[in-house]
Amino acid sequence: MTTTIPELFGSMVFNDAEMKKRLPKDVYRAFLKTIDEGTPLPLDLANVLSHAMKDWALEKGATHFTHWFQPMTGITAEKHDSFLSPEPGGYALMTFSGKELVKGEPDASSFPSGGLRATFEARGYTAWDPTSYAFVKDDTLCIPTAFCSYSGESLDKKTPLLRSMQALEKQTLRVLKLFGENDVRHATPMVGSEQEYFLVDEALYQKRPDLIYTGRTLFGAKPPKGQEMDDHYFGSLKPRVSAFMKELDQELWKLGIAAKTRHNEVAPGQHELAPVFSSTNTSTDHNQLTMEMMKRIASRHHMVCLLHEKPFAGVNGSGKHNNWSISTDKGDNLFAPGASPSQNARFLLFLTAVISAVDDYQDLLRLAVATAGNDHRLGANEAPPAIVSIFLGDELMDVVNSIIQRTSYQDREKAFLSIGADVLPTIRKDATDRNRTSPIAFTGNKFEFRSVGSSASIAGINIVINTIVADALGRFADRLEKASDFSGELDNLIREELTAHQRILFNGNGYSDDWVREAERRGLSNLVSTVEALPQFVTEKVFSLFEQHQVYNRTEVIAHYEILLENYYKTIHIEALTLADMVEKEILFASGNYQDQLAQRIMHKKDLGLSTAAEESTLAQAAESTNELYSLLGRLKEETATAELPSDSLSTAVYYRQQVLPCMEKMRTEIDRLESQIPSSIWPYPTYGDLLFSLEGEPRRH
Ligand code: ADP
Ligand code: MG
């Protein structure tokens, strides 16, 4: 291939450079103005824009266009319309109007709405999001859009995300004004999300209905080798994986996604990709596209990409580290400590806002990452615990303590740190990045939120972060705007807030049992699973937070809560049915065959007068596990029979957690016992060893 990376990058995106080149100057300027001011584009201008967009898309081979949106399913949705427009006389034109660009009306009745939209009112509409570039994928011009019900309620993740970004911008600008920064017009939350994933061989995957239907293995005995040798992390890439990563990078670059780092992760078969950070909105769209591309390109290489949080028990699961900061249009990162006393004071105030927000809304942050899949990962001693806390690193912790106690900090020359007058000691990035056990870590100039599940849309967590930080900044601005002595009040505010919220700061080992006890002593919340976490969504505190900042209204919160609950129990329901099916059709039968062979051998050996002690004891074990498994299967089938289910979503979710999941776990124990006993010639499924170490050898031709 002769194309260079800069030529490739963004080649399938109708980006700023392309618009500048193709649009009349006045249209281009009007477009930039709408983005800057957040106003709608007049229809005549939209017509010019859509025309240019279509011409560009046709050059890229597009035949169709679609409003590309993110319903509450967690993945993206698209319905393609061709540009084709038949004309009288039997010929056809390719057309795309401004109206088609700005608004679409997909039938919304089959997307989750949590009761927001009765099915008789099936119409929803999609509205163009001009802040995220259109792109061509699958010969289709994809236009990023928000998805709403006809009454205006959000049916997607983009709408509340954009609202939360606005809320954060509003409060950030208020605070910046107090520091005399009147010329800052925009403040944007920036996100870089590191994506973890597994790759397995496609032929083996096809033999595991549990992977196909649920994305995770529902059983599998521990292989002789797992991740204990630590020989996979950052290891050299296997040729098949390397070929996949190379093609993935190129496809992502074409879509303007700045894929930057790629490496092997801790577990065998596990990998990571991280892009360069960008605006939260773009980042979210790009992460959705990245996940889609990972799946698609894996299949071109005869592999399957698993995005589930815990595809294999006993080895590390996959997460998505959400790196978050705020940038201004002046190019400042508000979480960079800076060199002058005033920059330091600003930094400390923004830092304090995050600390205060995280402590106030621990539960909301927890529930934003709560799903059936992530329940298997959080708190499993390889991922952050369910307890929310912040890691600051020793140096910043010293600064915070010196502010709280008015004592000298590490830089011993100063008696104590006077905010706004002194310069902070240098905070080294490497000193802030060592703790991997914390759910939220300050890493030099950004916060890294580590609890997000690998399959989740990052919209959820960022909606929460943006809103709670906006809320804290708003409170700070209320107080500081009234102050006659700004510096004095700033000093007091930071000290009071840090003192009140210091319990959320924890630099120690988040995986230890001591921390669970210590956190309880500190009064931190510990919502161990999704069913404990989700009810915290529908509280007066949360309603008023979201209503005040116009991110969700009460109806939307309740609808989103219903969707999350439904998603939770439906996930476990599908897992249970899959497990029952695999046990009933294959495992019991295979175990029967195995016992049959053993029994025959025992009879033959007895005929010869030989000892059969070993075979008899093995047979007895297999028979015992099989009987137990059979009786558990009966129980699971009864438990998942819909007639038995409670009527409301929360009770159903609790029921699945307390009844169904434990039964599945018990079955797994028996299955894994049988699997370790039964030879592979009889065992019907690929084992963990097969799946995790399946990618040796050269890439297969495709
Ligand atoms: P690590 O694995 O050490 O955490 P990576 O390089 O894998 O680091 O990922 C770091 C992520 O953080 C990248 O996506 C990067 O672009 C992003 N990032 C860096 N600076 C910022 C920032 N100021 N705001 C948001 N994200 C950032
Ligand atoms: Mg990383």
Side-chain angles (χ1 to χ4, degrees):
M1 193 167 44
T2 51
T3 324
T4 64
I5 297 176
E7 275 168 355
L8 206 62
F9 188 76
S11 59
M12 298 305 261
V13 183
F14 194 63
N15 53 23
D16 190 60
E18 211 56 59
M19 282 185 246
K20 201 168 181 178
K21 200 161 81 194
R22 289 171 182 264
L23 294 174
K25 269 207 181 70
D26 54 331
V27 176
Y28 175 69
R29 256 186 266 122
F31 174 72
L32 291 189
K33 197 158 165 262
T34 57
I35 299 226
D36 189 54
E37 291 170 359
T39 49
L41 191 69
L43 194 61
D44 53 335
L45 295 184
N47 279 329
V48 181
L49 188 70
S50 65
H51 194 80
M53 214 186 242
K54 178 206 68 188
D55 285 348
W56 168 83
L58 292 180
E59 284 169 28
K60 298 291 170 188
T63 51
H64 290 67
F65 71 92
T66 183
H67 276 197
W68 183 79
F69 59 103
Q70 300 173 30
M72 294 294 296
T73 52
I75 54 173
T76 56
E78 44 192 81
K79 174 186 153 232
H80 300 181
D81 273 300
S82 96
F83 291 121
L84 182 111
S85 153
E87 294 292 311
Y91 70 100
L93 291 175
M94 296 296 258
T95 61
F96 181 48
S97 69
K99 227 172 119 221
E100 287 171 310
L101 167 65
V102 296
K103 194 166 175 184
E105 296 190 9
D107 180 348
S109 57
S110 296
F111 292 107
S113 76
L116 255 186
R117 175 196 32 63
T119 27
F120 60 83
E121 202 198 315
R123 285 186 314 167
Y125 71 92
T126 48
W128 176 40
D129 166 19
T131 60
S132 184
Y133 298 134
F135 54 92
V136 168
K137 172 175 76 79
D138 290 331
D139 302 330
T140 301
L141 170 66
C142 299
I143 299 145
T145 51
F147 180 42
C148 295
S149 76
Y150 245 84
S151 43
E153 271 105 6
S154 68
L155 290 172
D156 71 345
K157 306 201 172 191
K158 189 188 267 283
T159 312
L161 183 67
L162 291 171
R163 293 177 189 158
S164 76
M165 290 172 69
Q166 265 175 23
L168 183 67
E169 176 170 89
K170 185 172 159 195
Q171 304 305 336
T172 302
L173 294 184
R174 277 180 74 195
V175 168
L176 290 179
K177 276 208 173 65
L178 291 162
F179 284 89
E181 300 184 48
N182 295 307
D183 52 344
V184 177
R185 301 193 58 238
H186 289 292
T188 312
M190 307 299 283
V191 166
S193 62
E194 306 162 49
Q195 175 74 48
E196 292 181 331
Y197 61 97
F198 278 85
L199 290 172
V200 297
D201 183 79
E202 190 172 45
L204 296 171
Y205 169 92
Q206 291 297 350
K207 292 185 187 146
R208 294 280 314 214
D210 46 358
L211 284 180
I212 295 175
Y213 295 124
T214 75
R216 74 178 181 109
T217 53
L218 298 171
F219 54 82
K222 211 174 144 14
K225 181 177 188 246
Q227 63 189 44
E228 51 283 277
M229 303 293 280
D230 292 325
D231 54 354
H232 194 256
Y233 190 58
F234 284 13
S236 68
L237 303 176
K238 290 175 182 149
R240 285 181 72 181
V241 174
S242 166
F244 157 84
M245 286 183 173
K246 187 173 168 193
E247 191 173 340
L248 176 63
D249 276 346
Q250 295 198 339
E251 291 301 321
L252 294 178
W253 291 336
K254 283 187 204 166
L255 291 169
I257 300 171
K260 178 89 171 161
T261 57
R262 54 185 197 196
H263 61 82
N264 284 353
E265 257 301 327
V266 172
Q270 194 186 27
H271 312 280
E272 184 188 290
L273 177 146
V276 176
F277 68 100
S278 60
S279 133
T280 312
N281 184 29
T282 322
S283 260
T284 305
D285 286 358
H286 282 179
N287 183 252
Q288 294 295 129
L289 276 173
T290 300
M291 292 193 285
E292 183 184 331
M293 285 297 154
M294 282 177 164
K295 293 206 164 266
R296 182 182 301 197
I297 288 157
S299 111
R300 285 190 204 157
H301 292 259
H302 305 284
M303 297 189 287
V304 174
C305 172
L306 305 177
L307 291 170
H308 193 282
E309 284 72 21
K310 195 76 177 179
F312 305 99
V315 297
N316 275 14
S318 300
K320 186 139 52 188
H321 292 176
N322 189 80
N323 295 274
W324 179 93
S325 67
I326 308 175
S327 274
T328 70
D329 56 348
K330 298 275 166 251
D332 273 348
N333 171 359
L334 300 177
F335 292 98
S340 69
S342 144
Q343 281 169 340
N344 281 177
R346 189 186 73 183
F347 162 72
L348 284 173
L349 187 68
F350 278 90
L351 182 82
T352 304
V354 174
I355 293 171
S356 166
V358 169
D359 186 35
D360 276 342
Y361 291 100
Q362 298 163 44
D363 291 351
L364 194 51
L365 283 162
R366 169 67 185 92
L367 73 89
V369 298
T371 58
N374 217 12
D375 275 1
H376 298 288
R377 174 181 162 258
L378 294 181
N381 272 357
E382 41 109 343
I387 304 163
V388 174
S389 68
I390 299 179
F391 170 86
L392 286 185
D394 292 339
E395 283 159 341
L396 205 48
M397 199 67 172
D398 271 356
V399 170
V400 167
N401 284 332
S402 85
I403 293 173
I404 293 174
Q405 293 152 15
R406 292 176 182 269
T407 55
S408 64
Y409 60 96
Q410 260 186 346
D411 188 350
R412 309 268 172 222
E413 284 163 29
K414 302 264 166 53
F416 64 88
L417 185 82
S418 170
I419 296 163
D422 291 338
V423 176
L424 288 177
T426 326
I427 291 149
R428 288 172 294 125
K429 182 178 171 359
D430 58 352
T432 57
D433 203 24
R434 278 188 220 115
N435 187 314
R436 286 278 164 190
T437 67
S438 181
I440 304 169
F442 181 75
T443 51
N445 60 2
K446 61 186 190 295
F447 280 93
E448 181 170 343
F449 292 79
R450 297 183 176 137
S451 305
V452 188
S454 49
S455 68
S457 158
I458 55 169
I461 187 75
N462 287 299
I463 291 166
V464 170
I465 301 169
N466 293 343
T467 311
I468 63 177
V469 175
D471 190 63
L473 290 172
R475 273 194 298 115
F476 293 1
D478 287 346
R479 179 167 164 186
L480 293 171
E481 280 164 359
K482 283 191 217 113
S484 48
D485 164 21
F486 174 70
S487 306
E489 190 68 351
L490 181 69
D491 219 84
N492 289 338
L493 183 147
I494 290 179
R495 181 169 300 105
E496 282 168 30
E497 289 284 334
L498 289 178
T499 308
H501 297 289
Q502 56 183 314
R503 63 174 186 168
I504 200 75
L505 303 175
F506 178 61
N507 275 357
N509 178 6
Y511 294 172
S512 72
D513 293 335
D514 286 350
W515 171 231
V516 178
R517 283 188 292 273
E518 166 68 11
E520 193 181 344
R521 206 186 49 72
R522 293 188 187 188
L524 298 180
S525 103
N526 184 3
L527 302 167
V528 292
S529 84
T530 301
V531 298
E532 283 86 13
L534 286 184
Q536 303 305 315
F537 204 9
V538 284
T539 57
E540 285 307 321
K541 183 176 164 187
V542 171
F543 291 144
S544 78
L545 170 80
F546 283 128
E547 279 177 339
Q548 192 194 332
H549 296 282
Q550 297 173 356
V551 172
Y552 287 121
N553 62 32
R554 179 180 288 249
T555 323
E556 288 170 330
V557 173
I558 295 170
H560 287 220
Y561 164 72
E562 282 293 325
I563 291 170
L564 290 168
L565 279 175
E566 231 175 69
N567 184 285
Y568 175 82
Y569 67 73
K570 282 183 180 168
T571 301
I572 302 176
H573 184 71
I574 293 168
E575 289 178 349
L577 296 190
T578 305
L579 184 64
D581 197 61
M582 292 173 87
V583 167
E584 188 153 32
K585 289 216 189 89
E586 300 285 349
I587 293 175
L588 290 175
F589 190 74
S591 173
N593 281 344
Y594 171 64
Q595 292 174 63
D596 222 26
Q597 289 190 23
L598 276 176
Q600 286 193 31
R601 183 168 306 162
I602 291 168
M603 287 193 301
H604 292 158
K605 283 179 89 174
K606 277 204 168 130
D607 283 350
L608 296 168
L610 297 169
S611 158
T612 55
E615 286 84 356
E616 280 184 46
S617 133
T618 318
L619 177 58
Q621 274 176 36
E624 196 188 306
S625 283
T626 309
N627 287 339
E628 180 61 19
L629 186 57
Y630 182 76
S631 98
L632 286 166
L633 172 67
R635 215 179 99 189
L636 188 71
K637 281 161 90 175
E638 260 172 48
E639 281 173 352
T640 48
T642 35
E644 301 290 312
L645 294 184
S647 55
D648 72 291
S649 318
L650 180 60
S651 316
T652 309
V654 171
Y655 172 86
Y656 270 87
R657 163 112 188 138
Q658 289 176 353
Q659 297 291 128
V660 180
L661 264 185
C663 182
M664 289 170 62
E665 274 313 304
K666 285 201 181 105
M667 287 170 76
R668 176 184 188 130
T669 309
E670 301 306 333
I671 299 170
D672 289 357
R673 243 178 229 154
L674 287 169
E675 188 191 302
S676 341
Q677 237 187 314
I678 298 179
S680 53
S681 56
I682 301 176
W683 189 251
Y685 297 114
T687 63
Y688 269 26
D690 299 333
L691 291 163
L692 287 167
F693 297 93
S694 66
L695 299 177
E696 301 297 341
E698 288 305 309
R700 282 198 271 156
R701 240 190 266 263
H702 59 275

